[in-house]
């Protein structure tokens, strides 16, 4: 497979004609496939030079997620629910691992982010501290792939929640997560994350439904 042979960042892929012949498809099919890979941040197409493999990038994942919600006045309830479902699965696992792998500097990073959230200030600043908290927990699992996935997912989710006017920090629930991780209790850490996620989702659902009702009330009635 091409993906296996040219998986290292910087590897140059064969020419379109070579790929077309190899897989017995037209060059148009190859060109469209490369376009999809480029949009997903997996290859870099350089005019006059060729196509090169790229390392996975959280920024590219974030851009892909943002395209899904482009030009929407507020997030769809179904999208928020599905995103939270994914976050809950990932963050529960991360918190459980962090409870047995976290180093003193990991706990210090969580506490620093929590302190920023407690300090308050502009919503953008608090949201950034919230994101830093979740990334600190992800880093404490000492598996870089978790952070690579969670950074764009959490960042875009927070943006969507802010659009729904339901963004709240939930300081006490964040404290519980840190507390269970600090105690080295993986079961308790997973449960604390689950409670936090369910609370966030319930608040978002209520806010989105309210926004939907408001929009419907302002729409002219059909006669």
């Amino acid at each position: 497979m091409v993906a296996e042979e040219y998986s290292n960042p910087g590897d140059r892929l064969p020419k379109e004609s070579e790929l077309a012949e190899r897989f017995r498809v037209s060059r148009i099919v190859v060109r469209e496939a490369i376009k999809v890979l480029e949009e997903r941040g997996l290859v870099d197409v350089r005019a006059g030079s060729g196509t090169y493999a790229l390392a996975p990038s959280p920024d590219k994942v974030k851009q892909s997620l943002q395209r899904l919600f482009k030009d929407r006045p507020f997030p769809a309830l179904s999208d928020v629910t599905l995103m939270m479902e994914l976050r809950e699965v990932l963050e529960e696992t991360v918190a459980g691992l962090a409870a047995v792998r976290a180093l003193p500097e990991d706990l210090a990073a969580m506490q620093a982010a929590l302190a920023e959230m407690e300090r308050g200030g502009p919503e953008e600043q608090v949201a950034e501290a919230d994101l830093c908290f979740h990334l600190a927990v992800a880093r404490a699992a000492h598996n870089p792939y978790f952070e690579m996935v969670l950074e764009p997912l959490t960042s875009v989710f927070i943006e969507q929640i802010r659009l729904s006017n339901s963004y709240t920090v939930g300081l006490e629930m964040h404290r519980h997560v840190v507390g269970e991780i600090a105690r080295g209790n993986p079961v308790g850490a997973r449960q604390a994350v689950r409670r936090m996620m369910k609370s966030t989702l319930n608040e978002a659902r209520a806010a989105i439904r309210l926004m939907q009702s408001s929009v419907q009330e302002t729409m002219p009635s059909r006669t």
Side-chain angles (χ1 to χ4, degrees), residues 29-43:
V29 172
V30 173
R31 195 172 299 122
E32 288 301 314
I34 290 176
K35 183 179 179 181
V36 171
L37 293 175
E38 184 180 23
E39 289 176 348
R40 295 180 180 180
L42 298 176
V43 298

Side-chain angles (χ1 to χ4, degrees), residues 46-78:
R46 305 174 191 173
S49 178
T51 302
Y52 298 83
L54 291 176
S57 167
D59 289 337
K60 292 295 184 181
V61 177
K62 183 177 179 180
Q63 290 169 12
S64 297
L65 288 171
Q66 288 173 329
R67 281 196 293 271
L68 293 176
F69 308 111
K70 187 179 179 181
D71 300 326
R72 294 188 185 182
F74 56 85
L77 182 58
S78 58

Side-chain angles (χ1 to χ4, degrees), residues 179-223:
E180 296 299 335
I181 292 175
R183 279 189 283 274
N185 183 359
V187 175
R190 292 174 67 97
Q191 291 174 339
V193 168
R194 190 178 307 136
R195 287 192 294 270
M196 179 169 62
M197 294 294 171
K198 291 188 182 304
S199 175
T200 300
L201 180 57
N202 288 336
E203 291 175 357
R205 281 174 171 168
I208 292 171
R209 289 192 180 106
L210 181 60
M211 293 179 71
Q212 289 173 335
S213 298
S214 300
V215 170
Q216 290 174 355
E217 290 175 359
T218 58
M219 291 177 63
S221 59
R222 296 181 179 180
T223 56

Side-chain angles (χ1 to χ4, degrees), residues 74-96:
F74 56 85
L77 182 58
S78 58
D79 289 332
V80 169
T81 300
L82 291 174
M83 289 177 71
M84 181 57 79
E85 184 178 82
L86 177 58
R87 279 191 66 197
E88 184 175 332
V89 170
L90 291 172
E91 296 210 33
E92 275 192 42
T93 301
V94 162

